[in-house]
């Protein structure tokens, strides 16, 4: 509306200068298949009578300044409308309003457009100077990445400009949409996406298009931000529990661009740091207690390096964990002295004492034993707890026979 009031002002001031054509806008960038509006007002000496009004486009070989009349995009004598523009134009056709709508524009519509009117007076012919420059944007969009550096990698901290453009020109009146790894960046609605200080989080594939249309999207372009390893950490893989005999693999995980080239593994034991490996993975074929300790790795690429956090590794002993099971140990205490030394005094013979104790101990594991403990023959490695009760208790030297049973 703003420009219309300007046009009206121009028209008022033009009442004196009688011959006038005003165009708005002077330059248009439109998408293929869209419609464009050439706003136009004109004036002429009232005592003359209009014969024809038309919009023309100079042909490619003609002068583009309006001095040579080209083909008619619109003509008040309909037969003179060029084939290319038939049924695609709507002329305002109101007093002093020469606005034209052009539908379904294509690349071949690119060029200058001028409004011209002729009166019945031989000298009463006038072409509005300047014309309107129409460019047609050819989809799809494409993303271009610019930095101040030439032929150099993008590093963290650099200022980066991503531009969303189409061939020939880019219509900027539409709201744009930007996508990073196919996800909309809600705050980016301009044809230009400026990142003043790029970080590793900005690494990714970018695409753009029009906010209201999914079909216009550009092919993805990789914003290849180079950065030193980040989030270096250790992942522990184990064939089962982290316990003696099992194989273990420690993996040095990180996020880096370009990919990590050198890994170093270290183990800390009793304040000694020792270098133990140089691959991404550190493998232990058969874990033992001495593999327990603190581990860390260092990941390095061209951009720098980072140490992982120190990860403790505890290798459990390989005994079947019976902590929560109760073992009943019945032990026979034999009073050797009394049994075997004094046959003369049978009255003093003390019968064997049977003691039942509940102990919490480990039993060496064998593959089958876990499933069918009651029938599996198992050698037991017993450590007997010191009894706190005053009842008789198992004393390791005294144990001759042990009978084990389970209570869950
Ligand atoms: C223009 O429209 C008329 C009637 O709507 C139709 O008869 C004619 O074929 C159309 N011409 C072109 C070139 O599309
Ligand atoms: C001229 O005509 C067009 C199309 O009918 C209309 O949209 C526009 O508002 C008119 N301009 C003026 C200044 O009346
Ligand atoms: C628009 O123009 C193209 C050729 O440029 C044509 O193929 C298409 O059918 C036209 N669309 C409409 C709706 O007239
Ligand atoms: C029309 O505008 C384009 C840019 O959008 C420019 O390259 C071209 O030279 C202009 N044409 C004329 C005749 O001014
Ligand atoms: C970017 O796109 C390429 C090609 O489609 C793909 O290989 C790559 O994994 C993508 N990168 C990210 C970070 O999504
Ligand atoms: C979406 O954009 C197209 C192309 O500019 C436009 O023609 C259309 O009116 C828009 N649709 C909506 C719903 O805004
Ligand atoms: C990184 O590894 C390469 C070969 O794998 C080796 O030549 C280079 O010396 C290593 N760099 C460092 C700093 O360890
Ligand atoms: C740690 O280093 C000290 C001194 O070099 C050495 O006496 C000690 O045995 C080392 N400990 C281990 C666990 O290697
Ligand atoms: C990373 O580990 C190395 C080797 O132990 C050490 O020299 C260096 O100081 C560590 N860097 C940081 C930042 O902790
Ligand atoms: C045994 O199990 C208990 C409880 O489930 C656990 O706290 C303990 O660390 C385990 N010990 C071994 C050696 O697996
Ligand atoms: C345990 O052993 C008994 C006797 O040999 C057998 O009948 C039973 O099927 C076994 N149970 C399992 C779970 O193997």
């Amino acid at each position: 509306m703003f420009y219309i009031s300007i046009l009206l002002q121009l028209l008022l001031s033009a009442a004196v200068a009688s011959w006038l054509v005003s165009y708005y806008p002077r330059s248009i960038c439109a998408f293929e298949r869209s419609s464009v509006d050439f706003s136009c007002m004109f004036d002429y000496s009232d005592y003359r009578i209009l014969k024809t009004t038309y919009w023309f486009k100079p042909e490619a070989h003609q002068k583009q300044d309006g001095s040579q009349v080209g083909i008619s995009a619109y003509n008040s004598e309909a037969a003179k409308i060029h084939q290319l523009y038939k049924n695609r134009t709507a002329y305002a056709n109101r007093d002093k309003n020469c606005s034209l709508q052009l539908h379904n524009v294509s690349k071949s519509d690119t060029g200058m457009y001028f409004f011209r009117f002729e009166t019945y007076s031989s000298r009463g012919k006038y072409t509005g100077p300047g014309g309107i420059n129409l460019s047609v944007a050819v989809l799809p969009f494409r993303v271009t990445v610019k930095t101040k550096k030439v032929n150099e990698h993008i590093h963290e901290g650099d200022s980066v400009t991503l531009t969303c453009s189409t061939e020939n020109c880019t219509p900027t009146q539409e709201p744009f949409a930007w996508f990073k790894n196919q996800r909309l960046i809600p705050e980016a609605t301009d044809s230009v996406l400026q990142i003043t200080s790029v970080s590793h989080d900005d690494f990714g594939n970018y695409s753009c298009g029009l906010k209201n249309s999914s079909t216009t999207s550009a092919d993805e372009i990789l914003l290849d931000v180079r950065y030193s390893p980040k989030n270096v950490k250790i992942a522990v893989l184990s064939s089962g529990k982290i316990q003696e005999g099992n194989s273990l693999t420690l993996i040095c995980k990180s996020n880096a661009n370009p990919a990590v080239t050198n890994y170093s593994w270290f183990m800390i034991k009793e304040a000694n740091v020792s270098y133990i490996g140089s691959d991404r993975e550190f493998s232990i074929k058969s874990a033992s207690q001495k593999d327990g300790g603190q581990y860390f790795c260092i990941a390095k690429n061209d951009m720098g390096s980072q140490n992982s956090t120190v990860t403790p590794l505890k290798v459990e002993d390989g005994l079947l964990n019976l902590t929560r099971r109760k073992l009943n140990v019945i032990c026979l205490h034999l009073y050797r002295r009394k049994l075997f030394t004094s046959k003369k005094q049978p009255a003093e013979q003390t019968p064997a004492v049977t003691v039942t104790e509940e102990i919490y101990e480990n039993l060496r594991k064998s593959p089958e034993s876990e499933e069918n403990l009651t029938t599996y023959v198992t050698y037991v490695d017993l450590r007997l707890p010191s009894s706190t009760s005053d009842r008789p208790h198992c004393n390791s030297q005294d144990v001759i026979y042990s009978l084990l049973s389970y209570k869950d």
Side-chain angles (χ1 to χ4, degrees), residues 261-264 300:
T261 50
N262 296 55
Y263 291 96
S264 320
K300 181 175 172 298

Side-chain angles (χ1 to χ4, degrees), residues 1 3-5 7-8 11 37-41 90-101:
M1 286 308 104
Y3 68 85
I4 289 170
S5 66
L7 285 179
L8 288 174
L11 285 176
D37 289 308
F38 298 156
S39 281
C40 173
M41 298 298 287
Y91 182 65
N93 202 20
R94 266 181 248 143
D95 189 36
K96 294 175 182 174
N97 185 341
C98 47
S99 298
L100 186 76
Q101 255 192 337

Side-chain angles (χ1 to χ4, degrees), residues 85-365:
Y85 293 91
K86 283 253 163 69
N87 291 3
R88 288 171 56 214
T89 52
Y91 182 65
N93 202 20
R94 266 181 248 143
D95 189 36
K96 294 175 182 174
N97 185 341
C98 47
S99 298
L100 186 76
Q101 255 192 337
L102 178 60
H103 300 296
N104 192 22
V105 301
S106 67
K107 211 174 163 183
S108 60
D109 294 333
T110 300
M112 297 301 298
Y113 288 81
F114 296 90
F115 177 68
R116 179 170 171 83
F117 59 89
E118 294 174 4
T119 66
Y120 284 99
S121 155
S122 60
R123 287 178 57 239
K125 298 174 181 175
Y126 187 70
T127 295
I132 292 180
N133 184 349
L134 175 67
S135 304
V136 177
V138 178
L139 290 170
F141 282 104
R142 53 170 186 231
V143 180
T144 47
V145 177
K146 277 203 197 100
T147 53
K148 285 186 186 121
K149 300 184 198 165
V150 185
N151 295 331
E152 254 190 78
H153 293 305
I154 298 166
H155 295 171
E156 286 189 288
D158 288 355
S159 172
V160 175
T161 306
L162 302 174
T163 307
C164 188
S165 59
T166 38
E167 199 188 307
N168 299 334
C169 66
T170 304
T172 50
Q173 66 275 19
E174 305 279 345
F176 281 76
W178 283 91
F179 304 91
K180 183 189 164 200
N181 299 328
Q182 284 100 51
R183 296 186 118 178
L184 181 76
I185 308 170
E187 61 275 16
T189 56
D190 272 349
S191 62
V192 172
L193 175 61
Q194 178 84 39
I195 306 172
T196 44
S197 177
V198 83
S199 90
H200 66 278
D201 288 330
D202 297 314
F203 175 90
N205 287 322
Y206 286 77
S207 171
C208 68
L210 288 181
K211 187 128 265 175
N212 74 1
S213 156
S214 55
T215 58
T216 59
S217 295
D219 284 345
E220 289 192 320
I221 192 166
L222 181 68
L223 182 58
D224 190 20
V225 182
R226 300 288 170 115
Y227 54 93
S228 61
K230 314 272 181 197
N231 304 321
V232 180
K233 57 181 178 234
I234 295 175
V236 182
L237 284 188
S238 165
S239 52
K241 277 195 255 178
I242 300 174
Q243 66 179 23
E244 280 184 327
N246 282 349
S247 69
L248 291 179
T249 304
L250 309 186
I251 302 168
C252 190
K253 293 196 161 180
S254 65
N255 173 17
N257 183 35
V260 171
T261 50
N262 296 55
Y263 291 96
S264 320
W265 281 93
F266 295 90
M267 185 188 191
I268 311 172
K269 203 154 198 180
E270 288 154 22
N272 292 6
V273 179
S274 38
Y275 173 81
I276 54 170
S278 63
D279 292 327
R280 189 168 109 91
E281 296 182 359
F282 178 72
S283 293
I284 302 168
K285 280 206 181 68
S286 175
S288 70
Q289 298 271 344
K290 71 172 167 37
D291 294 317
Q294 313 261 67
Y295 287 81
F296 73 95
C297 65
I298 303 177
K300 181 175 172 298
N301 68 1
D302 290 349
M303 306 300 303
S305 69
Q306 192 181 63
N307 292 16
S308 75
T309 52
V310 174
T311 303
L313 184 76
K314 191 167 173 274
V315 180
E316 306 284 2
D317 65 28
L319 299 173
L320 181 60
N321 191 340
L322 294 173
T323 312
R324 278 178 295 178
R325 294 193 181 178
K326 289 181 177 176
L327 275 179
N328 280 348
V329 175
I330 298 155
C331 46
L332 209 54
H333 290 242
L334 297 177
Y335 289 80
R336 272 168 254 161
R337 190 168 38 84
K338 285 173 183 171
L339 270 176
F340 302 113
T341 57
S342 181
K343 283 183 180 173
K344 289 169 191 172
Q345 295 168 290
E348 286 183 40
Q349 206 172 317
T350 313
V353 181
T354 304
V355 178
T356 302
E357 288 214 4
E358 290 179 346
I359 64 164
Y360 298 80
E361 278 296 344
N362 288 322
L363 186 63
R364 193 162 297 280
K365 190 186 177 181

